[in-house]
């Protein structure tokens, strides 16, 4: 199961492998801020609390936009971060602003 948390919402949903975290949020009507879906605005920045190993490796766009320390700590861009396999994943929306 995938748990997506925002300031206003906490929602559990089944995982669809291959979809990004943002795809999941949009599919399940979670109000997840974003502006671009290219990985440049970082409004979809999030923190992966649980299940980092179930996600695809950071994309080039994430490596360009996020600091290396952020990636190491578990921050990702929801528009770029794809789920590669099922399991328990918990993600919190953590935009810069």
């Amino acid at each position: 199961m995938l748990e997506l948390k925002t300031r206003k919402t906490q929602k559990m949903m089944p995982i669809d492998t291959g979809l990004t975290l943002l795809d999941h949020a949009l599919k399940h009507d979670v109000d997840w801020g974003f502006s671009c879906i290219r990985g440049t605005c970082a409004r979809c920045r999030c923190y992966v609390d649980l299940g980092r190993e179930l996600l695809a490796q950071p994309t080039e766009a994430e490596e360009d936009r996020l600091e290396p320390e952020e990636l190491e700590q578990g921050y990702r861009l929801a528009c770029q971060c794809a789920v590669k396999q099922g399991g328990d994943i918990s993600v919190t929306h953590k935009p810069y602003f």
Side-chain angles (χ1 to χ4, degrees), residues 4-11 30-33 42-43 45-47 49 91-97:
L4 295 180
K5 299 177 275 186
T6 69
R7 290 181 193 173
K8 300 176 184 177
T9 305
Q10 182 173 338
K11 194 166 190 179
V30 176
D31 185 19
W32 198 275
R43 290 201 61 214
R45 179 179 174 258
C46 57
Y47 177 73
D49 304 303
V91 182
T92 304
H93 188 223
K94 295 276 189 176
Y96 290 111
F97 46 91

Side-chain angles (χ1 to χ4, degrees), residues 2-83:
L2 172 60
E3 177 184 37
L4 295 180
K5 299 177 275 186
T6 69
R7 290 181 193 173
K8 300 176 184 177
T9 305
Q10 182 173 338
K11 194 166 190 179
M12 298 289 290
M13 62 203 65
I15 290 175
D16 289 320
T17 56
L19 293 183
T20 66
L21 297 173
L22 181 59
D23 291 335
H24 282 89
L26 295 174
K27 182 177 179 179
H28 295 279
D29 297 319
V30 176
D31 185 19
W32 198 275
F34 71 100
S35 291
C36 73
I37 71 169
R38 293 181 316 275
T40 56
C41 77
R43 290 201 61 214
C44 66
R45 179 179 174 258
C46 57
Y47 177 73
V48 180
D49 304 303
L50 176 70
R52 293 178 193 163
E53 70 281 359
L54 304 174
L55 304 172
Q57 293 296 312
T59 65
E60 187 175 317
E62 287 179 286
E63 290 175 347
D64 288 345
R65 183 63 176 91
L66 298 173
E67 295 295 327
E69 297 81 24
E70 289 177 293
L71 288 168
E72 287 174 21
Q73 291 169 2
Y75 288 94
R76 301 290 302 267
L77 298 178
C79 71
Q80 298 293 304
C81 186
V83 177

